[in-house]
Amino acid sequence: MVAKVWFMLKLLMFQGLFTSPPPDPGFDFFYLALQWPGAYCDTKRACCYPTTGKPAADFGIHGLWPNYNNGSYPSNCDPSNEFDPSEISDLVSTLQTKWPTLSCPSNEGYKFWEHEWEKHGTCSESVMDQHGYFEKTLALRDRINLLQILTDAGIKPNDEFYKLKHIKKAIKRATGVIPVVNCNKDPEKNSQLHEILFCVDKSATEFIDCPMPTDRCPYSRIQFAKF
Ligand code: AMP
């Protein structure tokens, strides 16, 4: 029995010697972009609720984007790998709640998901297929309860203004990683908390500190809009 276990261990070690590392995906890391709907819907741009109704007052997914360390990113990598709705039929109801479309005219969301897959997802084909892209993105988003993290730190979607360093500190304290924070402007020119980008390693498994902390927000007076 001991000899058998020993033989199996040796066999596993021997196989390990010949297991090659996963192929380099051709990019450096992913951004998981989470979006505050109150900011998307409070700009001059029109916003429309999806056909399923007003999304929850929570951060939704914008996308999972392969990126290079120098700040640029690949896009539309494989036009032959078109979006196929039938491949994600089991995920649609979850996508509708967690990856809601806000574009006009009101629609179910397929246009948004198609855009994200074709522009960004096809650049991560060596890591995951279309179903994997959407499934993995949903799972990554579920690992961070962003609204709760901010609310626990007293940063609430109540139209009040907050400091960039407080937003980043609250997220670092709760998750251990530093994200990128992006703002947009409302019609009164207030900067609003719009998107928070978490960096994820190139195998789409671990959250990491962002290589380029290039926030696009002022240091203070960031409005967290009601939704
Ligand atoms: P991207 O090309 O991935 O950087 O995303 C930008 C595009 O996504 C723009 O055309 C935006 O209008 C669109 N977009 C961003 N957020 C949403 C959303 N929640 N619903 C629908 N379209 C969106």
Side-chain angles (χ1 to χ4, degrees):
M1 180 64 184
V2 174
K4 206 170 176 183
V5 171
W6 183 241
F7 173 75
M8 290 302 287
L9 273 173
K10 281 274 185 202
L11 189 69
L12 284 172
M13 281 162 68
F14 181 75
Q15 279 177 340
L17 283 177
F18 292 95
T19 313
S20 46
D24 193 301
F27 55 88
D28 298 317
F29 67 97
F30 286 100
Y31 277 126
L32 170 70
L34 302 183
Q35 180 184 69
W36 180 247
Y40 187 94
C41 289
D42 194 11
T43 58
K44 279 184 184 146
R45 211 166 24 166
C47 114
C48 293
Y49 296 154
T51 43
T52 40
K54 184 181 177 181
D58 198 356
F59 283 86
I61 297 166
H62 181 163
L64 186 67
W65 306 333
N67 226 77
Y68 301 120
N69 284 337
N70 69 8
S72 66
Y73 62 90
S75 63
N76 299 95
C77 296
D78 184 2
S80 71
N81 194 345
E82 285 178 6
F83 178 72
D84 177 358
S86 71
E87 282 184 35
I88 54 160
S89 50
D90 60 321
L91 300 176
V92 167
S93 63
T94 316
L95 289 169
Q96 280 170 332
T97 23
K98 297 184 176 171
W99 199 326
T101 181
L102 291 167
S103 65
C104 298
S106 176
N107 64 93
E108 287 175 277
Y110 289 101
K111 248 179 67 185
F112 186 28
W113 307 326
E114 176 180 45
H115 170 82
E116 292 300 309
W117 165 252
E118 292 183 354
K119 180 171 175 186
H120 304 284
T122 56
C123 300
S124 63
E125 278 170 346
S126 61
V127 183
M128 52 211 161
D129 61 12
Q130 193 198 123
H131 187 272
Y133 176 77
F134 288 98
E135 192 176 42
K136 194 88 194 177
T137 308
L138 289 166
L140 285 167
R141 186 251 187 221
D142 277 351
R143 279 164 56 187
I144 296 188
N145 194 343
L146 184 51
L147 184 60
Q148 189 72 52
I149 290 169
L150 294 176
T151 310
D152 286 350
I155 301 165
K156 298 176 183 161
N158 53 5
D159 281 349
E160 292 295 321
F161 292 85
Y162 299 93
K163 286 193 163 69
L164 180 62
K165 69 175 177 193
H166 291 152
I167 295 170
K168 295 189 78 157
K169 215 168 151 186
I171 295 172
K172 169 77 180 171
R173 197 182 316 122
T175 66
V177 292
I178 304 174
V180 167
V181 184
N182 288 340
C183 289
N184 64 5
K185 290 216 166 138
D186 76 355
E188 286 83 45
K189 303 236 173 355
N190 291 313
S191 286
Q192 296 187 317
L193 182 61
H194 179 218
E195 292 191 330
I196 298 194
L197 274 48
F198 286 92
C199 293
V200 181
D201 74 320
K202 57 188 172 188
S203 67
T205 316
E206 299 295 337
F207 288 100
I208 56 173
D209 281 339
C210 288
M212 297 252 302
T214 47
D215 306 301
R216 277 184 278 159
C217 276
Y219 290 115
S220 61
R221 281 195 67 76
I222 298 173
Q223 189 178 44
F224 196 0
K226 284 183 183 160
F227 182 63

